């Protein structure tokens, strides 16, 4: 699996996810089978502060609601993990959310968009431009990944046209 990099059309916002984080995300999707799942992404911004660099992702906390057609991320254990990352010499912090739509397209639902807007406005997240990564399809076969950024006080923008893995390219 290759590293993932995507930018908005105007080049103002970017996202980089190394292959090891993508593999972890896809492994979590594979374990979920036909149930939605997700978690948060952590990392840092580049020097120009125009590109989020993801260094890790969580799975669904134990208090999450994971169903066939919906996912509500819980919070159990996340604050402790985030504080541990924040207190390291190479400080890492919340960048956004990732979410899996099994056997469906990687298209944000109205609930996904509403939650992103809430996260952007909620000062406790300390993240005025949260990223959302959506994985759709079958994690062990054909799947697609799309990424979005939500700008506080503005709208949600796609970071790229997307990225796909087809069964024949395994």
């Amino acid at each position: 699996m290759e590293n993932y990099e995507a930018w908005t059309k105007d080049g103002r916002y970017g996202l980089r996810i190394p292959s090891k984080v993508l593999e972890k995300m896809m492994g979590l999707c594979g374990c979920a089978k036909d149930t939605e799942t997700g978690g948060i992404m952590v990392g840092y911004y580049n020097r120009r502060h125009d590109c989020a660099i993801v260094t890790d992702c969580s799975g669904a906390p134990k208090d999450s609601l994971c169903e066939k057609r919906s996912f509500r991320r819980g919070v159990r254990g996340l604050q402790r993990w985030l504080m541990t990352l924040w207190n390291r010499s190479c400080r890492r912090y919340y960048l956004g959310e990732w979410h899996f739509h099994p056997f469906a397209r990687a298209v944000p639902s109205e609930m996904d968009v509403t939650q992103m807007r809430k996260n952007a406005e909620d000062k406790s997240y300390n993240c005025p431009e949260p990223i959302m990564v959506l994985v759709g399809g079958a994690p062990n076969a054909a799947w697609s990944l799309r990424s979005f950024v939500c700008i506080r006080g503005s709208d949600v923008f796609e970071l790229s046209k997307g990225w796909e893995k087809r069964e024949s390219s395994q």
Side-chain angles (χ1 to χ4, degrees):
M1 189 173 297
E2 298 175 17
N3 295 334
Y4 176 81
E5 184 169 340
W7 292 82
T8 53
K9 286 182 184 178
D10 63 7
R12 290 183 59 205
Y13 300 95
L15 171 66
R16 290 188 189 131
I17 308 175
S19 61
K20 69 177 184 166
V21 177
L22 290 170
E23 288 167 5
K24 180 178 180 180
M25 219 179 269
M26 294 310 296
L28 292 164
C29 294
C31 290
K33 299 180 180 156
D34 63 349
T35 303
E36 290 198 18
T37 193
I40 67 169
M41 297 177 294
V42 296
Y44 62 97
Y45 292 93
N46 66 358
R47 289 181 191 257
R48 291 194 324 240
H49 205 74
D50 65 352
C51 184
I53 300 164
V54 177
T55 57
D56 203 354
C57 68
S58 77
K62 298 233 184 275
D63 59 335
S64 298
L65 176 65
C66 304
E67 297 179 333
K68 290 195 183 283
R69 294 201 175 267
S70 69
F71 172 72
R72 182 164 293 142
R73 178 185 53 76
V75 297
R76 187 174 296 152
L78 290 181
Q79 189 62 42
R80 180 179 296 149
W81 184 48
L82 288 167
M83 289 305 297
T84 300
L85 295 171
W86 179 257
N87 290 324
R88 290 184 179 167
S89 59
C90 294
R91 194 168 270 175
R92 301 294 182 251
Y93 38 86
Y94 174 88
L95 295 173
E97 309 278 331
W98 74 272
H99 185 76
F100 173 50
H101 291 173
F103 307 102
R105 296 177 34 215
V107 176
S109 68
E110 189 62 39
M111 188 184 311
D112 293 336
V113 172
T114 298
Q115 188 61 54
M116 270 192 83
R117 286 187 174 126
K118 284 181 183 178
N119 292 1
E121 298 299 328
D122 186 340
K123 296 200 190 304
S124 71
Y125 278 87
N126 197 24
C127 187
E129 292 124 8
I131 302 292
M132 177 173 33
V133 169
L134 291 175
V135 177
N140 299 318
W143 53 268
S144 63
L145 184 145
R146 293 174 68 191
S147 54
F148 304 84
V149 62
C150 182
I151 312 302
R152 181 182 291 163
S154 184
D155 207 352
V156 175
F157 301 95
E158 188 164 3
L159 289 163
S160 73
K161 291 183 179 178
W163 193 45
E164 292 185 5
K165 176 185 170 195
R166 300 190 188 282
E167 283 184 88
S168 59
S169 64
Q170 282 187 345

